[in-house]
Structures are given as structure tokens and as C-alpha cells.
Amino acid sequence: MPFSQDQLNELNLLALFSSSSNQEGIKVHRHSADPATVAAAERLHERGLVTQPDGGYLTPLGSEITQQVHKLLSVLSSTA
């Protein structure tokens, strides 16, 4: 089953977080960000991956998932 566009938006947003520091958060500005990104941040918050509906910081679960997202991106970005 392929990723849905909503899931891709969520993965892209998680990829913006640092995988090496829990002290770096992000802010999705409702009035200037793409509506799909705003919605992705809200869904990540509802799932308990980020601390605020507009991003904030990663939760422990969000940090774990973000590390996996970064690993996936690394593998997919490498040349064979």
C-alpha cells in the first residue's frame, strides 16, 4: 500500500526536525504555511508525536519515529 499524500506531508514535516537534539522544535505558522503542512502538524499532535498543534517539540515517541524517518531518507537518498 503506498503512502497517502497526508502521510507524505506528515513524514516531510517530521523530516524537518533534528534527529540529534530534542531541544530544537519547529513552528508551523498557520497564516503563512501551506494548509497541508498546517493539517499535518495538527495530525502529528493528535497522534502524540509533537507537543503542540503547530509543531513545537517532539515527544519521546515523535523522537523515535523521526529517527526512523531520517534513516529511511538516508537509505532512499543513497546511490546504489
Side-chain angles (χ1 to χ4, degrees):
M1 169 168 78
F3 289 109
S4 71
Q5 189 59 53
D6 283 350
Q7 291 168 328
L8 289 172
N9 293 338
E10 293 165 14
L11 290 169
N12 284 329
L13 188 56
L14 287 171
L16 297 176
F17 283 91
S18 170
S19 62
S20 62
S21 172
N22 289 340
Q23 301 301 317
E24 296 178 37
I26 63 169
K27 172 86 170 165
V28 177
H29 295 275
R30 179 174 299 281
H31 301 293
S32 59
D34 177 31
T37 302
V38 172
E42 291 172 352
R43 288 190 302 273
L44 291 174
H45 179 255
E46 290 169 4
R47 291 189 181 104
L49 299 176
V50 296
T51 59
Q52 299 294 319
D54 61 354
Y57 297 95
L58 293 169
T59 64
L61 177 60
S63 180
E64 181 180 331
I65 298 301
T66 296
Q67 289 175 6
Q68 297 300 317
V69 168
H70 284 264
K71 286 179 185 176
L72 178 61
L73 283 171
S74 176
V75 168
L76 294 177
S77 298
S78 67
T79 57

